[in-house]
Amino acid sequence: MPGCCGCCSALRPRYKRLVDNIFPVNPEDGLVKSNMEKLTFYSLSSPDKLDRIGEYLYQKATKDINRKRYKLAEIAMEAMDLLLQACHAQTTLNLFVESFLRMVQKLLEDSNPNLKIMATNSFVKFANINEDTPSYHRRYDFFISKFSSMCHSDAASLRDSLRLAGIKGLQGVIRKTVSDDLVENIWEAQHMEKIVPSLLFNMQFCVNVMFVKKNLLASGDLTPVEDATNVTPPALAEEVLRELVGRASFGHIRSVLKPLLTHLDRHELWVPNTFAIHTFRIVMISIQPQYSYTVVETLMQHLDSNFKSSPKTRTSLAVVLSKIIAIAAGESVGPSALDIINNLLTHLRTSVSTTTEITPEESQYQEALINALGEFANHHPDYQKIEIMLFIMNTVPDLSKKSRGDQMLQNILLKSLLKVGTQYSTVSFEKAFPASFLQPLLKMARAPHDPTRMVVMQIFQALLDRHQNEQVLSSVSVKPYPALSQEPPSRSDIIFTHKYGANIMQALIDSMALSDRVDALTSSFNTAALLIVEMSCNETVQEFLLFILGIQQVASTVDTLGNVHKCNLHAISIALLVLISRVSGINNLLDYAQKIVDARREEATHFLPPLLEPKKMSGKNLNLALPHLSIDKLALGECLQNAGMDAQRLNTGTPYTLNQTDHPGHRHSWVESVSTQLTQRNSSADLTVYNGDVDSVSSSPGVCKKLLAPEFNFEAMKRALAEPTEAAKREQRERQMQIVRNFREGEFDDLMRRTEPKHDLIQNRLNELFNSLAVERQITQSDNKAAQLQASNEKPIYETNFPELFYY
């Protein structure tokens, strides 16, 4: 018998004999290395036999598995791995791969966990091989399903090892299929619905574990080396998810996001949203930057579909959106940025319109949306922030709609605008307040709803406060502000103040007169104080003084205001006067303001800060008939003149009044207002404000018109621009007083004779002009007649005979 067996084995093919020789007599001894080298050499020298070798190894492994001889099956799998690694460059490898994959599948189908782990490791080695020849007929459906089921393994023994093997297997399938376009499309829904939930299932238990590890690393109880060597299923699942998202193209990213959102919904992982935030941050960091907008868009669509969900769920979704939207902001420009803003505003409008009462949960949801909008706008350049603010302002309902829902929507949208405004760093007020944005904002400052006006004031404060003075000026006070930061305004800011400063101050006065709430008045004062600190200079101080006088005039003349409201307006006016005196550095004005403050402390403390509460002062009698404690316009003008400043605008201008309307098409000009008031000035105007530098000075008695320098060199121009000396100022004041004395003490006939216009000279000049026009008209008429007569004697042009020189 032994001789017969030896004779039969000699008749068997050589590749079978080589395969049989790699198996030891005792399976515990493992693979016979020397015989395996012979089999490998034979395979390399005869590559056409690879498919037969693979088929034979598969048959032997199948018999061994059926007979529960797992050691021999493991040896067969090890031999397959070695042959695959040695012969991966052969053109006939595809035939061998089929047997290899059948072997892996056979091992995975068995219940032995060690065989599953070994088969998975073999598949991962195969996935890392780059094949030169394409494969047309391979399918990986079984492997995706099997590896996904291993990711959910709950076996008592080797649970983590099986899950690790399943995750590694999915990683191998992804690498093998993504790089090969001819195999089955891994991005199909039937595959992604198995892969993504399997990864998330392992990751959702890792958030707390990862935090624990970070704390251990920070405390020193766990070294980075130990953490790196012990790979856990959650950490590996996160790595595979990063790789999957990173390999996804624009058309495939939604295939990953859809099962991700479905998994979070089914397992109710939105509340709390720690895992959802962690997962979406992984997605946003791993995805290609140009596709990050798709993630935000998909999450917004999911928020649309959950509009009937509980407020907590929607709030968690909005918080997740706010955490990731900043990452996508850098890649979204133009229409895509406004599209995101529009979607967020639509959710806000839907939240306001669908709820009759704003509950705390619904309010948190709205705040989360507003935070998302602010985070998105914060990562855009300033010019895009202005566009976003304009876009939001255009969506605010009109003031004519006074229903409760519209007022709530106005308040919510203005809060969104405020969130964007706080992210904007103002450099130039002309760019921060374009006319198309400023006009509706000023209109909203006159809204009858107190919370709406207060939000508008906060928007102004956020855009006006360039030197972080908002907290310093947050309370009405006449005390000095030691921590006040100030910088002289630029030329463009001064021009902006000339154009729109009057409109802003008028809106502030109207806002102060609408309500007696202390918080609303304080908010308006804060805005006015910031405007003064940022814009105060010699060219604007007179207009600010008229603004302060306007506040006082409203408190004194408007009968519809309550007594407490009037007292608070008087307190605001004196506080602003003290503030402008300090920031402008006009000591005379500061002394005058301090005298008023001291007098009010003795006689009427209710005219001084702090502001009075209407409810607390309802039963008390407040004396308002105290004209000697009011700010005097003439005294302010004298303070400016004594300081060497021009006071013409202050003396001739009128303080602001209520209910003045803005004209968006007309830009307010202080020069125009001054000239208009000068032309309309009556004869009872105070002569002490006369300025000797005006053009009409030549007609005044005893005063000669100032002549220009005869030579216009550098020194002459320098002298003309230099500040006048004290002697020149004294001479100018004496000349003005002489003019005033002449007009006050002189005879009326004498004044009429001196100021009588030279009618004869004007009439003579007019007669000369009319005569010259008449002579010119006669000459023109005679020329026209002569031309017509000459034209009638000439032949028509079509009868003119041309010389032969011009014939063709």
Side-chain angles (χ1 to χ4, degrees):
M1 288 298 297
C4 181
C5 290
C7 178
C8 292
S9 69
L11 297 175
R12 302 180 67 192
R14 185 182 178 187
Y15 73 90
K16 286 187 177 182
R17 284 183 280 131
L18 292 174
V19 170
D20 291 336
N21 292 335
I22 66 173
F23 292 94
V25 177
N26 184 11
E28 299 296 333
D29 295 340
L31 184 68
V32 180
K33 301 293 185 181
S34 58
N35 293 336
M36 186 63 214
E37 292 177 359
K38 295 178 182 178
L39 178 61
T40 304
F41 179 76
Y42 177 78
S43 301
L44 291 173
S45 57
S46 304
D48 55 318
K49 296 293 192 298
L50 263 177
D51 57 332
R52 300 180 187 181
I53 295 172
E55 181 65 25
Y56 186 59
L57 279 171
Y58 169 72
Q59 292 174 1
K60 289 181 69 66
T62 303
K63 292 178 182 180
D64 293 333
I65 291 173
N66 293 335
R67 296 170 184 174
K68 306 297 182 182
R69 295 186 296 191
Y70 296 124
K71 287 293 182 181
L72 294 176
E74 292 177 6
I75 293 173
M77 191 71 253
E78 184 181 357
M80 279 274 198
D81 290 342
L82 294 173
L83 288 175
L84 187 69
Q85 296 295 326
C87 307
H88 68 273
Q90 300 293 335
T91 57
T92 57
L93 185 64
N94 271 333
L95 300 176
F96 177 76
V97 167
E98 294 302 319
S99 302
F100 174 82
L101 293 178
R102 289 170 62 195
M103 171 84 80
V104 173
Q105 180 175 345
K106 187 66 178 177
L107 267 63
L108 290 173
E109 289 175 348
D110 196 79
S111 59
N112 190 336
N114 292 322
L115 290 183
K116 291 181 180 179
I117 295 172
M118 184 176 187
T120 304
N121 295 332
S122 299
F123 182 84
V124 171
K125 294 176 183 177
F126 161 71
N128 292 329
I129 295 176
N130 294 325
E131 300 181 62
D132 296 332
T133 56
S135 56
Y136 297 92
H137 54 283
R138 288 187 202 155
R139 296 185 64 85
Y140 295 95
D141 294 359
F142 170 80
F143 297 103
I144 295 174
S145 301
K146 194 62 181 178
F147 291 143
S148 299
S149 65
M150 290 171 63
C151 292
H152 295 81
S153 176
D154 282 331
S157 61
L158 301 176
R159 188 193 69 172
D160 288 347
S161 299
L162 285 173
R163 290 186 179 183
L164 277 173
I167 297 170
K168 290 180 180 179
L170 290 178
Q171 185 180 29
V173 172
I174 293 170
R175 291 178 178 176
K176 202 63 182 175
T177 53
V178 169
S179 58
D180 194 348
D181 296 333
L182 297 177
V183 299
E184 189 173 3
N185 188 5
I186 192 67
W187 304 108
E188 292 182 359
Q190 57 180 344
H191 301 318
M192 285 291 110
E193 289 175 357
K194 298 175 183 177
I195 295 175
V196 175
S198 300
L199 299 176
L200 295 176
F201 174 77
N202 285 274
M203 288 174 56
Q204 73 188 58
F205 298 105
C206 83
V207 177
N208 295 330
V209 175
M210 290 176 63
F211 290 156
V212 169
K213 284 189 175 183
K214 288 181 180 178
N215 295 332
L216 289 174
L217 284 170
S219 62
D221 297 335
L222 180 67
T223 61
V225 177
E226 293 173 349
D227 186 56
T229 53
N230 298 326
V231 180
T232 59
L236 184 60
E238 180 179 325
E239 180 184 345
V240 176
L241 181 64
R242 292 177 185 272
E243 184 176 350
L244 178 65
V245 174
R247 291 173 178 267
S249 63
F250 178 75
H252 298 146
I253 187 61
R254 295 183 188 273
S255 302
V256 181
L257 296 176
K258 186 177 179 180
L260 190 153
L261 294 172
T262 304
H263 181 83
L264 295 175
D265 290 338
R266 289 178 178 175
H267 295 271
E268 299 179 354
L269 296 175
W270 291 111
V271 182
N273 57 3
T274 307
F275 175 70
I277 294 174
H278 177 70
T279 303
F280 272 97
R281 277 180 173 167
I282 291 173
V283 172
M284 294 300 292
I285 294 173
S286 304
I287 197 174
Q288 299 181 40
Q290 64 270 25
Y291 305 149
S292 57
Y293 170 77
T294 309
V295 182
V296 176
E297 188 179 31
T298 305
L299 194 55
M300 284 187 173
Q301 292 173 357
H302 194 67
L303 188 58
D304 288 337
S305 61
N306 282 270
F307 72 98
K308 292 184 179 179
S309 301
S310 64
K312 287 186 177 180
T313 302
R314 287 185 280 119
T315 302
S316 297
L317 271 165
V319 170
V320 173
L321 188 62
S322 66
K323 297 295 183 181
I324 69 166
I325 201 170
I327 304 175
E331 300 298 328
S332 59
V333 293
S336 62
L338 295 181
D339 186 32
I340 291 178
I341 296 297
N342 187 34
N343 287 336
L344 292 172
L345 296 179
T346 302
H347 289 301
L348 284 172
R349 286 192 291 268
T350 304
S351 173
V352 174
S353 60
T354 55
T355 54
T356 55
E357 251 182 68
I358 298 296
T359 60
E361 291 82 7
E362 196 70 26
S363 179
Q364 290 178 2
Y365 169 62
Q366 294 171 359
E367 290 293 333
L369 288 175
I370 293 173
N371 290 333
L373 194 150
E375 287 294 329
F376 180 73
N378 188 31
H379 289 74
H380 281 81
D382 285 344
Y383 73 91
Q384 278 194 302
K385 292 177 185 175
I386 292 295
E387 292 179 359
I388 292 172
M389 288 192 288
L390 284 171
F391 184 79
I392 297 174
M393 179 57 73
N394 292 331
T395 61
V396 178
D398 194 2
L399 289 175
S400 59
K401 300 178 180 179
K402 298 181 180 180
S403 64
R404 187 172 179 275
D406 290 325
Q407 288 180 354
M408 289 170 54
L409 184 58
Q410 288 173 0
N411 197 15
I412 290 296
L413 293 178
L414 287 175
K415 283 184 179 179
S416 305
L417 184 60
L418 173 62
K419 194 68 176 181
V420 180
T422 54
Q423 311 294 344
Y424 180 81
S425 57
T426 304
V427 178
S428 171
F429 291 119
E430 187 176 5
K431 295 180 180 179
F433 293 101
S436 56
F437 174 66
L438 180 62
Q439 292 298 335
L441 194 62
L442 293 177
K443 189 180 296 183
M444 296 301 297
R446 298 178 171 90
H449 194 218
D450 290 340
T452 301
R453 290 199 314 276
M454 292 174 64
V455 176
V456 172
M457 292 303 155
Q458 291 175 3
I459 294 171
F460 271 113
Q461 293 160 17
L463 296 177
L464 286 172
D465 189 17
R466 293 185 297 190
H467 299 88
Q468 288 72 46
N469 294 318
E470 191 269 332
Q471 290 296 328
V472 180
L473 302 171
S474 59
S475 61
V476 184
S477 175
V478 293
K479 298 179 181 179
Y481 299 99
L484 200 62
S485 176
Q486 189 185 7
E487 183 181 353
S490 62
R491 190 62 193 169
S492 64
D493 293 338
I494 295 175
I495 294 174
F496 171 81
T497 311
H498 282 298
K499 289 181 180 179
Y500 303 113
N503 294 336
I504 297 175
M505 288 184 280
Q506 182 60 56
L508 290 175
I509 290 182
D510 294 343
S511 175
M512 292 179 188
L514 285 173
S515 174
D516 60 352
R517 285 180 52 176
V518 174
D519 52 356
L521 289 174
T522 304
S523 182
S524 300
F525 165 80
N526 197 347
T527 305
L530 287 172
L531 186 67
I532 289 174
V533 171
E534 293 291 341
M535 303 287 196
S536 180
C537 64
N538 293 340
E539 300 181 35
T540 60
V541 66
Q542 296 184 71
E543 197 69 19
F544 287 132
L545 292 176
L546 288 176
F547 167 59
I548 295 171
L549 291 172
I551 299 175
Q552 178 179 269
Q553 183 173 345
V554 170
S556 303
T557 59
V558 179
D559 298 331
T560 57
L561 303 181
N563 291 341
V564 177
H565 194 179
K566 292 180 179 180
C567 292
N568 288 336
L569 290 181
H570 281 293
I572 289 175
S573 62
I574 190 62
L576 291 177
L577 180 61
V578 173
L579 177 64
I580 194 173
S581 303
R582 295 185 184 279
V583 298
S584 61
I586 305 175
N587 295 327
N588 295 333
L589 196 61
L590 182 59
D591 295 339
Y592 173 70
Q594 196 61 41
K595 289 180 182 178
I596 298 177
V597 171
D598 295 338
R600 290 185 180 184
R601 282 176 181 166
E602 294 179 0
E603 300 183 38
T605 55
H606 52 275
F607 276 12
L608 289 175
L611 301 183
L612 306 176
E613 289 285 350
K615 295 181 180 179
K616 296 180 180 179
M617 305 296 294
S618 58
K620 295 185 179 181
N621 187 16
L622 300 174
N623 185 13
L624 301 178
L626 299 171
H628 61 285
L629 297 180
S630 300
I631 303 172
D632 186 26
K633 178 180 177 182
L634 296 180
L636 294 178
E638 290 180 0
C639 290
L640 293 183
Q641 288 179 351
N642 292 334
M645 298 176 60
D646 182 25
Q648 181 180 0
R649 167 64 180 149
L650 177 62
N651 293 324
T652 59
T654 56
Y656 290 86
T657 57
L658 284 180
N659 300 325
Q660 290 185 357
T661 57
D662 294 328
H663 301 284
H666 172 68
R667 292 183 175 179
H668 181 80
S669 174
W670 295 354
V671 179
E672 292 175 6
S673 62
V674 172
S675 61
T676 303
Q677 291 160 1
L678 284 175
T679 55
Q680 296 178 354
R681 195 170 77 173
N682 53 25
S683 61
S684 62
D686 192 359
L687 295 174
T688 58
V689 301
Y690 180 80
N691 189 355
D693 288 338
V694 295
D695 291 340
S696 61
V697 71
S698 58
S699 62
S700 301
V703 180
C704 297
K705 186 176 181 180
K706 186 187 293 185
L707 299 177
L708 296 176
E711 53 185 8
F712 294 97
N713 54 18
F714 177 75
E715 292 298 330
M717 298 298 291
K718 185 176 180 181
R719 286 194 302 271
L721 295 175
E723 183 73 20
T725 60
E726 291 296 329
K729 292 180 181 178
R730 193 182 311 109
E731 182 182 356
Q732 181 181 2
R733 285 197 297 268
E734 292 176 358
R735 188 165 58 248
Q736 291 178 0
M737 294 303 296
Q738 180 66 29
I739 295 172
V740 172
R741 198 177 300 111
N742 289 336
F743 274 89
R744 283 181 173 175
E745 301 175 358
E747 297 291 335
F748 182 74
D749 295 336
D750 188 24
L751 294 176
M752 287 291 294
R753 186 176 62 255
R754 291 187 179 187
T755 60
E756 185 180 9
K758 307 300 185 292
H759 295 293
D760 296 339
L761 180 62
I762 297 175
Q763 189 64 39
N764 294 335
R765 184 59 180 165
L766 290 175
N767 291 335
E768 291 178 4
L769 291 174
F770 291 148
N771 292 334
S772 62
L773 290 174
V775 172
E776 184 177 356
R777 189 181 299 110
Q778 292 176 0
I779 294 173
T780 305
Q781 292 177 355
S782 60
D783 292 341
N784 292 336
K785 291 180 180 179
Q788 292 176 0
L789 182 61
Q790 182 179 2
S792 61
N793 295 331
E794 292 180 355
K795 292 182 179 181
I797 191 169
Y798 56 84
E799 294 183 2
T800 303
N801 296 324
F802 292 95
E804 294 181 358
L805 178 63
F806 296 98
Y807 287 172
Y808 182 72

